[in-house]
Amino acid sequence: MVANVWKVEKAVGDTVADGDTLVILESMKMEIPVVAEIDGVVAQIAVNEGDVVQEGDLIAVVE
């Protein structure tokens, strides 16, 4: 699936909980949230708003 990065919700250094939205993707007029899978701190956001991503691309790192 190819999607556009519509909105980056979190920044490097933000504390997140399991299930918090990190980035919102848009594909075929549908919004797809990318959520944290663990509690932690955002170590990296690898995309910018407007970028095009594909399945398997790195979007964010939470440590």
Side-chain angles (χ1 to χ4, degrees):
M1 173 178 77
V2 176
N4 295 313
V5 178
W6 180 67
K7 187 168 186 181
V8 177
E9 294 278 317
K10 300 293 182 185
V12 172
D14 287 353
T15 300
V16 295
D18 182 16
D20 284 356
T21 300
L22 303 172
V23 173
I24 300 174
L25 305 177
E26 182 273 327
S27 180
M28 299 184 334
K29 308 240 184 216
M30 293 176 42
E31 292 181 11
I32 305 156
V34 176
V35 299
E37 295 181 354
I38 59 170
D39 296 344
V41 176
V42 178
Q44 179 184 4
I45 298 288
V47 296
N48 295 303
E49 292 179 7
D51 286 354
V52 175
V53 295
Q54 297 185 33
E55 187 174 344
D57 286 354
L58 178 66
I59 294 175
V61 176
V62 176
E63 298 179 333

Coordinates of all heavy atoms in Angstrom, one line a residue:
M1 N 0.8 -1.2 0.0 CA 0.0 0.0 0.0 C 0.9 1.2 0.0 O 1.9 1.3 0.7 CB -0.9 0.0 1.2 CG -1.7 1.3 1.4 SD -2.8 1.3 2.8 CE -1.6 1.5 4.2
V2 N 0.6 2.2 -0.8 CA 1.2 3.5 -0.8 C 0.3 4.5 -0.1 O -0.9 4.5 -0.3 CB 1.5 3.9 -2.3 CG1 2.1 5.3 -2.3 CG2 2.4 2.9 -3.0
A3 N 0.9 5.4 0.7 CA 0.2 6.4 1.4 C 1.0 7.7 1.5 O 2.2 7.6 1.4 CB -0.2 5.8 2.8
N4 N 0.3 8.7 1.7 CA 0.9 10.0 2.0 C 0.9 10.3 3.5 O -0.1 10.0 4.2 CB 0.1 11.2 1.3 CG 0.1 11.0 -0.2 OD1 1.2 10.8 -0.8 ND2 -1.0 11.1 -0.8
V5 N 2.0 10.9 4.0 CA 2.0 11.3 5.4 C 1.2 12.6 5.5 O 1.5 13.6 4.9 CB 3.4 11.6 5.8 CG1 3.4 12.0 7.3 CG2 4.3 10.3 5.7
W6 N 0.0 12.5 6.1 CA -0.9 13.6 6.2 C -0.5 14.5 7.4 O -0.5 15.8 7.2 CB -2.3 13.1 6.3 CG -3.3 14.2 6.4 CD1 -3.6 15.1 5.4 CD2 -4.1 14.6 7.5 NE1 -4.6 16.0 5.9 CE2 -4.9 15.7 7.1 CE3 -4.3 14.0 8.8 CZ2 -5.8 16.2 8.0 CZ3 -5.2 14.6 9.6 CH2 -6.0 15.7 9.3
K7 N -0.3 13.9 8.6 CA 0.0 14.7 9.7 C 1.0 14.0 10.7 O 0.8 12.8 10.9 CB -1.3 15.1 10.5 CG -1.1 16.1 11.6 CD -2.4 16.6 12.1 CE -2.1 17.7 13.1 NZ -3.3 18.2 13.7
V8 N 2.0 14.7 11.2 CA 2.9 14.1 12.2 C 2.4 14.7 13.5 O 2.4 15.9 13.7 CB 4.3 14.6 11.9 CG1 5.2 14.0 13.0 CG2 4.8 14.0 10.5
E9 N 1.9 13.7 14.4 CA 1.3 14.1 15.7 C 2.3 14.3 16.8 O 2.1 15.0 17.7 CB 0.3 13.0 16.1 CG -0.9 13.0 15.1 CD -2.0 14.0 15.5 OE1 -2.2 14.2 16.7 OE2 -2.5 14.6 14.5
K10 N 3.4 13.5 16.8 CA 4.4 13.6 17.9 C 5.7 14.0 17.3 O 6.0 13.9 16.2 CB 4.5 12.2 18.5 CG 3.2 11.6 19.1 CD 2.8 12.4 20.3 CE 1.5 11.8 20.9 NZ 1.0 12.6 22.0
A11 N 6.6 14.5 18.3 CA 7.9 14.9 17.9 C 9.0 14.1 18.7 O 8.6 13.5 19.7 CB 8.1 16.4 18.2
V12 N 10.2 14.1 18.3 CA 11.3 13.5 19.0 C 11.3 14.0 20.4 O 11.2 15.2 20.6 CB 12.6 13.7 18.2 CG1 13.8 13.2 19.1 CG2 12.6 13.0 16.9
G13 N 11.4 13.1 21.3 CA 11.5 13.5 22.8 C 10.1 13.4 23.5 O 10.1 13.5 24.7
D14 N 9.1 13.3 22.7 CA 7.7 13.2 23.3 C 7.6 11.8 24.0 O 8.0 10.8 23.5 CB 6.6 13.4 22.3 CG 6.4 14.8 21.8 OD1 7.1 15.7 22.3 OD2 5.6 15.0 20.8
T15 N 6.9 11.8 25.2 CA 6.6 10.6 25.8 C 5.3 10.1 25.3 O 4.3 10.9 25.1 CB 6.5 10.8 27.4 OG1 7.7 11.3 27.8 CG2 6.1 9.6 28.1
V16 N 5.2 8.8 25.0 CA 4.0 8.2 24.4 C 3.6 7.0 25.2 O 4.5 6.3 25.8 CB 4.2 7.9 22.9 CG1 4.3 9.2 22.1 CG2 5.3 6.9 22.7
A17 N 2.3 6.6 25.1 CA 1.8 5.4 25.7 C 1.4 4.5 24.6 O 1.1 4.9 23.4 CB 0.6 5.7 26.6
D18 N 1.3 3.2 24.9 CA 0.9 2.2 23.9 C -0.5 2.6 23.4 O -1.4 2.9 24.1 CB 0.8 0.8 24.6 CG 0.4 -0.3 23.7 OD1 0.4 -0.1 22.5 OD2 -0.1 -1.3 24.2
G19 N -0.6 2.7 22.0 CA -1.8 3.1 21.4 C -1.9 4.6 21.0 O -2.8 5.0 20.3
D20 N -1.0 5.4 21.5 CA -1.0 6.8 21.1 C -0.7 7.0 19.6 O 0.2 6.3 19.1 CB 0.1 7.6 21.8 CG -0.3 7.9 23.3 OD1 -1.5 7.6 23.7 OD2 0.5 8.5 24.0
T21 N -1.3 7.9 18.9 CA -1.1 8.1 17.5 C 0.2 8.9 17.3 O 0.4 10.0 17.9 CB -2.3 8.9 16.9 OG1 -3.4 8.1 17.0 CG2 -2.0 9.2 15.4
L22 N 1.1 8.4 16.4 CA 2.4 9.1 16.1 C 2.2 9.9 14.8 O 2.7 11.0 14.8 CB 3.5 8.0 16.0 CG 3.7 7.1 17.2 CD1 4.7 6.0 16.8 CD2 4.2 7.9 18.4
V23 N 1.7 9.3 13.8 CA 1.6 9.8 12.5 C 0.2 9.4 11.9 O -0.3 8.3 12.2 CB 2.7 9.3 11.6 CG1 2.6 9.8 10.2 CG2 4.1 9.8 12.1
I24 N -0.4 10.3 11.1 CA -1.6 9.9 10.4 C -1.2 9.8 8.9 O -0.8 10.8 8.3 CB -2.7 10.9 10.6 CG1 -3.1 10.9 12.1 CG2 -4.0 10.5 9.8 CD1 -4.1 12.0 12.5
L25 N -1.5 8.7 8.3 CA -1.3 8.5 6.8 C -2.7 8.7 6.1 O -3.7 8.5 6.7 CB -0.8 7.1 6.5 CG 0.5 6.7 7.2 CD1 0.9 5.3 6.9 CD2 1.6 7.7 6.9
E26 N -2.6 9.0 4.8 CA -3.8 9.1 4.0 C -3.6 8.3 2.8 O -2.6 8.4 2.1 CB -4.1 10.6 3.7 CG -5.3 10.8 2.9 CD -5.1 10.7 1.4 OE1 -4.0 11.0 0.9 OE2 -6.0 10.2 0.7
S27 N -4.6 7.5 2.5 CA -4.5 6.7 1.3 C -6.0 6.5 0.8 O -6.8 6.0 1.6 CB -3.9 5.3 1.5 OG -3.8 4.5 0.3
M28 N -6.2 6.8 -0.5 CA -7.5 6.6 -1.1 C -8.6 7.3 -0.2 O -9.7 6.7 0.1 CB -7.8 5.1 -1.3 CG -6.8 4.5 -2.2 SD -7.1 2.8 -2.7 CE -8.0 2.1 -1.4
K29 N -8.3 8.5 0.3 CA -9.2 9.3 1.1 C -9.5 8.7 2.4 O -10.5 9.1 3.1 CB -10.5 9.6 0.3 CG -10.3 10.1 -1.1 CD -10.9 11.4 -1.2 CE -10.7 11.9 -2.7 NZ -10.5 13.2 -2.9
M30 N -8.8 7.7 2.9 CA -8.9 7.2 4.2 C -7.8 7.6 5.1 O -6.6 7.6 4.6 CB -9.0 5.6 4.1 CG -10.2 5.1 3.4 SD -10.1 3.3 3.2 CE -9.5 2.7 4.8
E31 N -8.0 7.9 6.3 CA -7.0 8.3 7.3 C -6.6 7.0 8.0 O -7.4 6.2 8.5 CB -7.5 9.3 8.3 CG -7.7 10.6 7.7 CD -8.2 11.7 8.7 OE1 -8.2 11.4 9.9 OE2 -8.7 12.7 8.3
I32 N -5.3 6.8 8.1 CA -4.7 5.6 8.7 C -3.8 6.0 9.8 O -2.7 6.5 9.6 CB -4.0 4.7 7.7 CG1 -4.9 4.4 6.5 CG2 -3.5 3.4 8.3 CD1 -4.2 4.1 5.2
P33 N -4.2 5.8 11.1 CA -3.2 6.2 12.2 C -2.1 5.2 12.4 O -2.3 4.0 12.2 CB -4.1 6.2 13.4 CG -5.2 5.3 13.1 CD -5.4 5.3 11.6
V34 N -0.9 5.7 12.6 CA 0.2 4.8 13.0 C 0.4 5.0 14.5 O 0.7 6.2 14.9 CB 1.5 5.2 12.2 CG1 2.7 4.4 12.6 CG2 1.3 5.1 10.7
V35 N 0.3 4.0 15.2 CA 0.3 4.1 16.7 C 1.5 3.5 17.3 O 2.1 2.6 16.7 CB -1.0 3.5 17.3 CG1 -2.3 4.2 16.8 CG2 -1.1 2.0 17.0
A36 N 1.8 4.0 18.5 CA 2.9 3.4 19.3 C 2.5 2.0 19.8 O 1.4 1.8 20.2 CB 3.2 4.3 20.5
E37 N 3.4 1.1 19.7 CA 3.2 -0.3 20.1 C 3.6 -0.5 21.5 O 3.4 -1.6 22.1 CB 3.8 -1.3 19.2 CG 3.2 -1.2 17.8 CD 3.8 -2.2 16.8 OE1 4.8 -2.8 17.1 OE2 3.3 -2.3 15.7
I38 N 4.4 0.4 22.1 CA 4.9 0.3 23.5 C 4.9 1.7 24.1 O 4.8 2.7 23.5 CB 6.3 -0.2 23.5 CG1 7.3 0.7 22.7 CG2 6.4 -1.6 23.0 CD1 8.8 0.4 22.9
D39 N 4.9 1.7 25.5 CA 5.1 3.0 26.2 C 6.6 3.4 26.0 O 7.5 2.5 26.0 CB 4.9 2.8 27.7 CG 3.4 2.5 28.0 OD1 2.6 2.6 27.1 OD2 3.2 2.0 29.1
G40 N 6.9 4.7 25.9 CA 8.3 5.1 25.7 C 8.4 6.5 25.3 O 7.5 7.3 25.5
V41 N 9.6 6.8 24.7 CA 9.9 8.1 24.2 C 10.2 8.0 22.8 O 10.9 7.1 22.3 CB 11.1 8.7 25.0 CG1 11.5 10.0 24.5 CG2 10.8 8.8 26.5
V42 N 9.7 9.0 22.0 CA 9.9 9.0 20.5 C 11.4 9.3 20.3 O 11.9 10.4 20.7 CB 9.0 10.0 19.8 CG1 9.4 10.1 18.3 CG2 7.6 9.7 20.1
A43 N 12.1 8.4 19.7 CA 13.6 8.6 19.5 C 13.8 9.1 18.1 O 14.8 9.8 17.8 CB 14.3 7.3 19.6
Q44 N 12.9 8.8 17.1 CA 13.1 9.3 15.7 C 11.7 9.3 15.0 O 10.9 8.4 15.2 CB 14.0 8.3 15.0 CG 14.2 8.6 13.5 CD 15.1 7.6 12.8 OE1 15.4 6.5 13.4 NE2 15.4 7.8 11.6
I45 N 11.5 10.3 14.3 CA 10.4 10.4 13.3 C 11.1 10.5 11.9 O 11.8 11.4 11.6 CB 9.5 11.7 13.5 CG1 8.9 11.7 14.9 CG2 8.5 11.8 12.4 CD1 7.7 10.7 15.1
A46 N 10.9 9.4 11.2 CA 11.6 9.3 9.9 C 10.9 9.8 8.7 O 11.4 9.6 7.6 CB 11.9 7.8 9.7
V47 N 9.8 10.5 8.9 CA 9.0 11.0 7.8 C 8.6 12.5 8.1 O 8.6 12.9 9.2 CB 7.7 10.2 7.5 CG1 8.0 8.8 7.1 CG2 6.8 10.2 8.8
N48 N 8.2 13.2 7.0 CA 7.7 14.5 7.1 C 6.4 14.6 6.5 O 6.0 13.8 5.6 CB 8.7 15.5 6.4 CG 10.0 15.6 7.1 OD1 10.1 15.9 8.2 ND2 11.0 15.3 6.3
E49 N 5.6 15.6 6.9 CA 4.2 15.7 6.3 C 4.4 15.9 4.8 O 5.3 16.6 4.3 CB 3.5 16.9 6.9 CG 3.1 16.6 8.3 CD 2.4 17.8 9.0 OE1 2.0 18.8 8.3 OE2 2.1 17.6 10.2
G50 N 3.6 15.2 4.0 CA 3.7 15.3 2.5 C 4.5 14.2 1.9 O 4.5 14.0 0.7
D51 N 5.3 13.4 2.7 CA 6.1 12.3 2.2 C 5.2 11.2 1.7 O 4.1 11.0 2.2 CB 7.1 11.8 3.2 CG 8.3 12.7 3.5 OD1 8.4 13.7 2.8 OD2 9.0 12.3 4.5
V52 N 5.7 10.4 0.8 CA 5.0 9.2 0.3 C 5.7 8.0 0.9 O 7.0 7.9 0.8 CB 5.0 9.1 -1.2 CG1 4.4 7.8 -1.7 CG2 4.3 10.3 -1.8
V53 N 5.0 7.1 1.6 CA 5.5 5.9 2.2 C 4.9 4.7 1.6 O 3.8 4.7 1.1 CB 5.4 5.9 3.7 CG1 6.2 7.1 4.3 CG2 4.0 6.0 4.2
Q54 N 5.6 3.6 1.7 CA 5.1 2.3 1.3 C 5.2 1.3 2.5 O 5.9 1.5 3.4 CB 5.9 1.7 0.1 CG 5.9 2.6 -1.1 CD 6.6 2.0 -2.3 OE1 6.6 0.8 -2.4 NE2 7.2 2.8 -3.1
E55 N 4.5 0.2 2.3 CA 4.5 -0.8 3.4 C 5.9 -1.2 3.6 O 6.7 -1.5 2.7 CB 3.7 -2.0 2.9 CG 3.5 -3.1 4.0 CD 2.6 -4.2 3.6 OE1 1.9 -4.0 2.6 OE2 2.7 -5.2 4.2
G56 N 6.3 -1.3 4.9 CA 7.7 -1.7 5.2 C 8.6 -0.5 5.5 O 9.7 -0.7 6.1
D57 N 8.2 0.7 5.1 CA 9.1 1.9 5.3 C 9.1 2.2 6.8 O 8.1 2.1 7.5 CB 8.6 3.1 4.6 CG 8.8 3.0 3.1 OD1 9.5 2.1 2.7 OD2 8.3 3.9 2.4
L58 N 10.3 2.7 7.3 CA 10.4 3.2 8.7 C 9.7 4.5 8.8 O 9.9 5.4 8.0 CB 11.9 3.4 9.1 CG 12.1 3.9 10.5 CD1 11.7 2.9 11.5 CD2 13.6 4.2 10.6
I59 N 8.8 4.6 9.8 CA 8.0 5.8 10.1 C 8.5 6.5 11.4 O 8.8 7.7 11.4 CB 6.5 5.5 10.1 CG1 6.1 5.1 8.7 CG2 5.7 6.7 10.6 CD1 4.7 4.6 8.6
A60 N 8.6 5.7 12.4 CA 9.0 6.3 13.7 C 9.7 5.2 14.6 O 9.4 4.0 14.4 CB 7.8 6.9 14.5
V61 N 10.5 5.6 15.5 CA 11.1 4.7 16.5 C 10.8 5.2 17.9 O 10.9 6.4 18.2 CB 12.7 4.7 16.3 CG1 13.3 3.9 17.4 CG2 13.1 4.3 15.0
V62 N 10.2 4.3 18.7 CA 9.9 4.6 20.1 C 10.8 3.6 20.9 O 10.8 2.4 20.7 CB 8.4 4.3 20.4 CG1 8.1 4.5 21.9 CG2 7.5 5.2 19.5
E63 N 11.5 4.2 21.9 CA 12.3 3.4 22.8 C 11.8 3.5 24.2 O 11.2 4.4 24.6 CB 13.8 3.9 22.8 CG 14.4 3.8 21.4 CD 15.8 4.4 21.3 OE1 16.2 5.2 22.1 OE2 16.6 3.9 20.5

